Amino acid sequence: MRPGMTTIPLRMTTSQAPAEAPTPPRATAHPSLWPQARSPEALTDAQTEARIESLLARLSLEEKVGQVIQADIGSIKAEDLRTYPLGSILAGGNSGPNNDDRAPAAEWLKLSRDFRAISLEERPGHTPIPVIFGVDAVHGNNNIPGATIFPHNIALGAMRDPELIRRIGEVTALESAVTGIDWTFGPTLAVPRDDRWGRTYEGYSEDPEVVVSYAGPMTLGLQGELRPGQPLAQGRIAGSAKHFLADGGTTAGKDQGDAEISEEELVRLHAAGYPPAINAGILSVMASFSSWNGVKHTGNKTLLTDVLKDRMGFTGFVVGDWNAHGQLPGATNENCPQALIAGLDMYMAPDSWKGLFHNTLAQARAGEIPMARLDDAVRRILRAKFKAGLFNTERPLEGRLELLGAPEHRAIAREAVARSLVLLKNEGVLPIKSTARVLVAGDAADDIGKQCGGWTLSWQGTGNTNSDFPNAHSIYAGIRDAVVAGGGSAELSVDGSFTKKPDVAIVVFGENPYAEFQGDIATVEYQPGNKTDLALLGKLKAQGIPVVSVFLSGRPLWVNPEINASDAFVAAWLPGTQGEGVADVLVGDANGKPRRDFTGKLSFSWPRKAMQASVNRGDANYEPQFPYGHGLSYAQPARVELLSEDPGPTVAVTSTALFFGSGKVAEPWSLVLSDTGGSSPAVKANGESPHRVLSVRVVDAGAQENGRTLTWSGTQQATVAITGPAVDLSRQTTGDMAVALRYRLDGAPAAPVKLTLTSGERPVSLDITRLLTTLGSATEFRMLKVKLSSFRDAGANMSSVTSPLALTTSGALTLTVTDLCLATNDGDAVCP
């Protein structure tokens, strides 16, 4: 340790398994079978390499270890860098400055500058190395209000336009750079093969041909061309190709699951996008959470080192995913030498960084982590930092916040929306005359958050309102502007009611926002068992009104009944902030002539049955409803005959997110009342229940019969519980989700109130009395969120939960509840 350096206490947790266990044969890659590629020579030019070696020679062991660890801004402060010389920070999906994931751009800029300033301080015993700040800017700089939000990748795949992809990358980079962000975790090069996967919309296509055509242009859009001895041009940022490898090929589309496939399929389908990204100069690659034939990629040396770095000639650095290293056998989030030895260069250790730093430092001192491997990792990280221009003090574009959401950027996003629309049916109702009286209906018509989808301001894309998107356009707003300009009129009515019969109705509906595992589904049927949107279409059709459906989704879904009920049906995907791009194609001129035609073509095959989740071009027995590459147009129309409304064999859908809502208990759950005298499944039939200790009454709480008033008499202890079959909530727990209840406190508790989660026969209870009384009142509904991790940390087995929520008290208490569910932690979840 050099003089003046802060002493960091040594802590070490002994590894439970050998640091480098042999990889089983079925998960051992054979490099000669893989494509060759090479990072440009401009990434390893002699001038830059000399600077790297000079700097590396001056680093202490503590500083080297710090470079390979990344912390989330939700668990580290800039001042911590004076003690822990970490190399990187990130803002995860729900992280933001001051724990506000909707913080304005100026606060993001200040946070970035604060961290950078301390990392570059001239102080004794410290080598100034700038931190690199990474975010998931996956469809624009989607973390920051006011940014241009592009359509998600599934929509961009339908464009088949690599040049437009490059321009989207340029705008994403520029709008990130002006807010102080150095690095985006993109492009996503997944090839989703099962549409039940909750990240399907992050992939460009089910077929690698589209991914291959986009990987290079998106890399060049984000980073620009690498130049020897020169940093990236101003306004460009580092990219990260992800997730290496086969995150879209897991069995049953399970997030973080296992790709049980041959090496040939791994190479042919899932590796195809990486060579063009590497050849274009991508500075980092993110290793996937998932596995190949039972072995996690984060610890598979044959893939990370032998294939990616050696065979594919990748000279940038490999970063892990959110605590993914902790999933390796014998590892924990704070102790995992295996990953570094296998070829990981930077641990993403959002909340585990401090313990990981201590353990990795001890392992490096003890020789468990070879110094050559540590030096190689640091060298790769420094290489990317030099090339990204982080050592340059001049940043003339940083702080130019007027460029965030600039009109010319929104014009590119609007173009992408128009080009991505896929016409699946048109019985002559489109294009709509601009002079028409148009009814715009559906719950997504005027909801910018819903049309943007997940990874938008918040991780799951939930909790957003139109006011969070300045200068954006909802789909309704775009239609209104188009028809009013043409002499027509547009009326917004979510439920389809109207005062004067319209000439045509445009109904905008589809999936609610989700991200990652929360979007995993059991069947690709849209709204199974509760087809409220189909009912709306039917109501309008029954009144003799031509109906145009604009369907928002992050994947193809079985919507045959909805297509049959529509005169026209448009797959609009998740179009982002510029909803006016939809009107550009749907609304014609005063004579009903198109202003522009449909050009989008399916990059994902459309299912014929509800369980046809894996239907991909080239498969044996390929029988889609609409094939890969399909898309009608005004110039080339075609009649769509009546589609079969038989969903085929289905499975019972178990809701692991909603337990009670809209006045109903979600299948397969029951709402059970119990006291020392026994139990009663009182609300399974959604009715009222008199009970001598605890009673339930149906009430209107903002909507007809959507609430339940629960009254404890206080004569003895009683419980109201959600019960059902055992479900696995372990992924939701690691995903920082929470048990949530929306409630109004009608009568304050006279005794402690416990919130209980039960796994098997073991209940784990937390006291929420103070939270109820602090948040609640007799006049307002509030949302209480308690982190699932609180129950796990108290000993619950989250892989087998039979009762995710129960309320118990022995005193008098009156609550009215409208929602019992799991919810994302938007910075508002607590641990009692």
Side-chain angles (χ1 to χ4, degrees):
M1 183 176 295
R2 289 173 293 144
M5 170 160 276
T6 303
T7 301
I8 299 172
L10 180 64
R11 296 189 302 173
M12 182 172 180
T13 304
T14 304
S15 298
Q16 300 172 2
E20 188 179 357
T23 304
R26 289 189 67 240
T28 298
H30 301 83
S32 63
L33 303 178
W34 293 68
Q36 289 185 295
R38 181 136 317 263
S39 295
E41 292 183 2
L43 183 55
T44 52
D45 63 89
Q47 180 181 347
T48 302
E49 293 301 292
R51 294 178 70 188
I52 292 169
E53 294 306 320
S54 174
L55 182 56
L56 187 64
R58 305 202 310 269
L59 297 183
S60 68
L61 183 59
E62 289 82 358
E63 289 172 323
K64 290 179 180 180
V65 169
Q67 286 300 302
V68 304
I69 295 176
Q70 180 186 58
D72 184 78
I73 61 173
S75 64
I76 190 172
K77 298 185 182 303
E79 306 82 61
D80 291 329
L81 296 183
R82 294 194 177 104
T83 304
Y84 296 91
L86 302 193
S88 178
I89 57 171
L90 84 150
N94 279 333
S95 297
N98 303 312
N99 293 318
D100 180 6
D101 59 8
R102 291 170 179 79
E107 292 186 26
W108 286 86
L109 179 61
K110 180 181 183 303
L111 179 142
S112 173
R113 287 174 167 173
D114 288 348
F115 274 94
R116 188 186 311 139
I118 290 181
S119 70
L120 289 173
E121 280 180 345
E122 296 285 351
R123 58 182 186 270
H126 171 65
T127 306
I129 300 176
V131 293
I132 184 168
F133 183 14
V135 301
D136 285 282
V138 293
H139 60 142
N141 188 6
N142 44 260
N143 295 277
I144 298 179
T148 306
I149 308 298
F150 293 96
H152 268 297
N153 285 352
I154 191 171
L156 302 184
M159 297 189 315
R160 306 294 208 279
D161 191 336
E163 174 56 25
L164 188 50
I165 284 291
R166 183 189 61 77
R167 291 161 62 201
I168 289 170
E170 289 178 354
V171 172
T172 300
L174 179 58
E175 293 200 7
S176 299
V178 301
T179 58
I181 292 165
D182 311 304
W183 178 25
T184 176
F185 305 135
T188 299
L189 303 180
V191 182
R193 304 293 285 179
D194 191 307
D195 298 335
R196 291 172 292 187
W197 187 35
R199 304 190 78 158
T200 295
Y201 64 78
E202 296 186 53
Y204 295 120
S205 177
E206 72 187 30
D207 194 293
E209 72 167 0
V210 179
V211 181
V212 168
S213 72
Y214 280 4
M218 179 54 89
T219 298
L220 292 172
L222 292 169
Q223 299 185 167
E225 247 184 89
L226 302 188
R227 299 164 297 175
Q230 298 294 318
L232 302 183
Q234 292 293 330
R236 303 300 181 100
I237 63 172
S240 186
K242 70 179 187 184
H243 303 88
F244 192 83
L245 191 61
D247 48 337
T250 62
T251 301
K254 184 177 181 182
D255 190 54
Q256 300 188 16
D258 189 12
E260 300 172 280
I261 58 177
S262 67
E263 186 172 6
E264 183 276 334
E265 187 173 343
L266 187 68
V267 173
R268 176 174 54 85
L269 292 178
H270 300 287
Y274 288 88
I278 291 169
N279 290 336
I282 197 73
L283 293 180
S284 68
V285 169
M286 182 179 288
S288 178
F289 267 117
S290 57
S291 306
W292 174 42
N293 290 332
V295 176
K296 290 284 183 180
H297 295 306
T298 307
N300 192 331
K301 186 177 182 180
T302 70
L303 285 175
L304 297 185
T305 298
D306 301 345
V307 166
L308 179 60
K309 294 180 175 179
D310 295 343
R311 178 69 173 181
M312 291 187 178
F314 174 61
T315 54
F317 72 94
V318 178
V319 62
D321 210 334
W322 189 277
N323 276 332
H325 55 275
Q327 297 184 5
L328 297 185
T332 68
N333 291 349
E334 296 186 345
N335 178 30
C336 185
Q338 304 97 304
L340 192 68
I341 292 169
L344 192 76
D345 299 309
M346 181 183 287
Y347 296 93
M348 185 182 287
D351 53 0
S352 58
W353 57 270
K354 190 175 293 185
L356 184 66
F357 178 91
H358 288 297
N359 286 325
T360 305
L361 178 60
Q363 289 151 358
R365 282 178 177 162
E368 185 177 353
I369 295 174
M371 190 57 60
R373 171 76 273 269
L374 180 60
D375 283 350
D376 176 60
V378 176
R379 187 178 290 112
R380 289 169 175 273
I381 293 166
L382 294 177
R383 183 178 294 140
K385 288 185 175 184
F386 274 116
K387 193 55 64 176
L390 302 190
F391 286 87
N392 293 13
T393 56
E394 294 181 3
R395 294 182 173 223
L397 288 174
E398 188 175 273
R400 294 276 307 277
L401 300 184
E402 72 275 9
L403 296 175
L404 194 71
E408 60 270 27
H409 299 167
R410 294 187 181 276
I412 293 172
R414 179 174 179 171
E415 176 71 10
V417 173
R419 290 185 60 84
S420 67
L421 302 177
V422 179
L423 181 63
L424 296 181
K425 180 181 181 180
N426 183 23
E427 299 299 325
V429 67
L430 292 176
I432 296 167
K433 290 183 179 180
S434 61
T435 55
R437 177 184 293 276
V438 181
L439 176 70
V440 186
D443 66 352
D446 195 35
D447 189 334
I448 299 171
K450 186 162 181 172
Q451 72 190 42
C452 286
W455 292 109
T456 305
L457 302 186
S458 65
W459 173 33
Q460 297 284 328
T462 55
N464 295 321
T465 64
N466 285 3
S467 63
D468 293 318
F469 300 96
N471 300 315
H473 277 73
S474 69
I475 293 172
Y476 160 70
I479 293 168
R480 177 201 60 204
D481 292 351
V483 297
V484 169
S489 64
E491 178 183 0
L492 175 66
S493 174
V494 171
D495 65 1
S497 60
F498 51 84
T499 53
K500 185 175 180 179
K501 186 176 179 180
D503 299 316
V504 63
I506 300 175
V507 184
V508 189
F509 63 97
E511 291 189 289
N512 291 319
Y514 56 83
E516 294 193 47
F517 66 93
Q518 198 60 16
D520 288 0
I521 55 177
T523 167
V524 293
E525 181 176 2
Y526 178 63
Q527 289 191 331
N530 186 29
K531 295 190 177 298
T532 55
D533 291 325
L534 178 61
L536 174 57
L537 301 177
K539 180 177 79 171
L540 292 166
K541 285 284 287 180
Q543 296 175 84
I545 302 169
V547 173
V548 176
S549 287
V550 176
F551 185 56
L552 305 184
S553 72
R555 51 194 151 208
L557 291 171
W558 187 75
V559 285
N560 283 12
E562 288 81 1
I563 293 175
N564 286 339
S566 308
D567 295 285
F569 194 95
V570 178
W573 315 110
L574 300 169
T577 51
Q578 306 316 122
E580 66 266 45
V582 175
D584 290 343
V585 185
L586 268 61
V587 179
D589 64 16
N591 298 314
K593 298 296 182 183
R595 292 186 296 156
R596 66 178 300 164
D597 206 346
F598 286 91
T599 58
K601 304 297 179 183
L602 293 179
S603 59
F604 286 80
S605 304
W606 207 272
R608 185 181 294 271
K609 298 289 184 181
M611 289 302 296
Q612 202 177 13
S614 182
V615 50
N616 302 298
R617 185 175 74 151
D619 288 350
N621 303 315
Y622 178 61
E623 292 184 309
Q625 186 66 70
F626 301 108
Y628 174 92
H630 176 77
L632 305 178
S633 67
Y634 297 138
Q636 294 182 308
R639 181 168 178 79
V640 176
E641 300 299 330
L642 196 67
L643 304 179
S644 169
E645 296 191 9
D646 175 12
T650 60
V651 296
V653 177
T654 298
S655 172
T656 54
L658 177 66
F659 312 126
F660 173 79
S662 300
K664 297 180 180 179
V665 178
E667 292 290 342
W669 303 103
S670 298
L671 191 57
V672 176
L673 312 182
S674 63
D675 59 26
T676 54
S679 64
S680 168
V683 195
K684 188 171 185 179
N686 303 308
E688 300 190 8
S689 174
H691 199 277
R692 59 192 180 89
V693 180
L694 172 60
S695 64
V696 179
R697 182 165 54 90
V698 178
V699 296
D700 295 343
Q704 186 176 4
E705 297 187 351
N706 71 317
R708 298 292 183 269
T709 297
L710 309 171
T711 302
W712 282 260
S713 68
T715 56
Q716 63 187 58
Q717 181 172 289
T719 298
V720 58
I722 295 289
T723 64
V727 294
D728 185 352
L729 299 182
S730 54
R731 180 68 183 92
Q732 285 83 344
T733 304
T734 59
D736 198 27
M737 295 198 71
V739 172
L741 58 152
R742 183 174 180 268
Y743 74 101
R744 184 182 65 210
L745 185 63
D746 299 323
V753 181
K754 298 295 182 68
L755 177 67
T756 301
L757 179 145
T758 301
S759 54
E761 297 297 321
R762 180 173 184 181
V764 173
S765 298
L766 303 173
D767 191 327
I768 61 168
T769 315
R770 182 185 58 82
L771 294 172
L772 283 176
T773 54
T774 301
L775 294 176
S777 73
T779 58
E780 294 182 339
F781 279 91
R782 301 290 180 90
M783 183 71 85
L784 170 61
K785 296 182 181 179
V786 176
K787 292 183 178 183
L788 285 172
S789 58
S790 302
F791 297 100
R792 177 201 61 198
D793 296 344
N797 175 11
M798 304 307 293
S799 65
S800 183
V801 175
T802 53
S803 175
L805 184 155
L807 294 171
T808 302
T809 186
S810 59
L813 170 67
T814 305
L815 291 175
T816 296
V817 298
T818 60
D819 297 275
L820 304 173
C821 60
L822 295 187
T824 58
N825 176 12
D826 297 321
D828 53 357
V830 297
C831 285

